């Protein structure tokens, strides 16, 4: 249901705002990673923006500490509708390892309505890209057909076993 609404509401490129709500920077590094040419999230038409006023999507990392709570709310209110919120990492899901700290509210949904969560501590860049693309209905468009995938990536058992044996020979030579 939500996926269908999203497909209709967000027809063009998505602009993403990243909000650090008290993260240890682990998740933030992985979010920045997805923007590098290696992971290249721009192939899905997404780009990072500096202001929530220009954003369609907010990525929240961190457990939402008490000082960041009003700032996260303010940033969310500044985003134009329709808008989506993703909680990135275990801290945003439910506080993570800080869940019972005195200054932690316990996750992104304590500040704003969250549409999707991508767990992990931190989630790998592939998981972030896959989660966002899946939620936005982009995966079906971009994934190669199954026949093509099988042609491109066969698992050759003979080659695999041969490589494993050669590895043991090399290891023995080094050891001797
Ligand atoms: S989920 Fe892990 S990496 Fe991400 S902010 Fe929390 S502690 Fe840091």
């Amino acid at each position: 249901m939500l996926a269908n609404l999203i497909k209709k509401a967000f027809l063009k490129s998505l602009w993403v705002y990243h909000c650090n709500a008290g993260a240890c920077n682990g998740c933030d590094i992985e979010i920045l990673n997805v923007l590098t040419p290696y992971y290249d999230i721009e192939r899905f038409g997404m780009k990072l923006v500096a202001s929530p006023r220009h954003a369609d999507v907010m990525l929240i990392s961190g457990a939402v500490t008490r000082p960041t709570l009003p700032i996260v709310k303010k940033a969310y209110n500044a985003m134009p509708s329709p808008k989506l919120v993703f909680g990135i990492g275990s801290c945003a899901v439910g506080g993570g390892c800080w869940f019972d700290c005195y200054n932690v509210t316990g996750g992104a949904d304590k500040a704003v309505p969250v549409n999707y969560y991508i767990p992990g501590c931190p989630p790998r860049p592939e998981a972030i890209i896959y989660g966002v693309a899946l939620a936005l209905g982009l995966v079906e468009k971009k994934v190669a057909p199954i026949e093509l995938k099988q042609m491109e990536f066969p698992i050759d058992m003979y080659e695999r076993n041969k490589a494993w044996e050669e590895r043991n020979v090399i290891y023995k030579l080094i050891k001797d």
Side-chain angles (χ1 to χ4, degrees), residues 116-151:
Y116 292 101
Y117 293 101
I118 300 174
C121 183
R124 290 185 57 78
E126 293 92 337
I128 298 174
I129 294 173
Y130 185 68
V132 173
L134 195 68
L136 301 177
L138 298 171
V139 171
E140 287 158 28
K141 283 191 218 165
K142 298 284 177 179
V143 168
I146 190 82
E147 322 84 60
L148 203 59
K149 274 200 287 185
Q150 283 170 352
M151 275 167 58

Side-chain angles (χ1 to χ4, degrees), residues 4-167:
N4 287 339
L5 278 177
I6 288 168
K7 275 185 205 168
K8 284 180 190 157
F10 300 98
L11 295 172
K12 297 186 179 168
S13 297
L14 288 176
W15 287 15
V16 179
Y17 175 70
H18 168 214
C19 178
N20 180 336
C24 74
N25 280 351
C27 287
D28 308 296
I29 288 166
E30 300 302 355
I31 289 170
L32 290 179
N33 232 345
V34 305
L35 298 159
T36 59
Y38 188 85
Y39 290 104
D40 190 20
I41 201 160
E42 290 192 10
R43 75 194 131 119
F44 290 112
M46 293 177 216
K47 71 173 218 156
L48 199 71
V49 290
S51 167
R53 290 186 197 284
H54 304 151
D56 306 295
V57 176
M58 181 190 266
L59 303 182
I60 301 181
S61 58
V64 186
T65 56
R66 291 191 196 288
T68 61
L69 183 74
I71 299 163
V72 177
K73 284 185 179 173
K74 214 170 161 185
Y76 177 80
N77 290 335
M79 287 170 70
S81 292
K83 49 193 166 188
L84 281 176
V85 178
F86 284 78
I88 307 290
S90 305
C91 289
V93 173
C97 51
W98 322 107
F99 76 99
D100 57 351
C101 286
Y102 72 95
N103 60 339
V104 161
T105 61
D109 65 348
K110 300 292 183 292
V112 294
V114 180
N115 302 102
Y116 292 101
Y117 293 101
I118 300 174
C121 183
R124 290 185 57 78
E126 293 92 337
I128 298 174
I129 294 173
Y130 185 68
V132 173
L134 195 68
L136 301 177
L138 298 171
V139 171
E140 287 158 28
K141 283 191 218 165
K142 298 284 177 179
V143 168
I146 190 82
E147 322 84 60
L148 203 59
K149 274 200 287 185
Q150 283 170 352
M151 275 167 58
E152 279 181 358
F153 310 110
I155 300 167
D156 191 320
M157 203 54 106
Y158 172 75
E159 289 295 334
R160 204 193 74 166
N161 292 344
K162 206 167 123 225
W164 181 253
E165 278 160 21
E166 277 167 12
R167 175 187 169 277

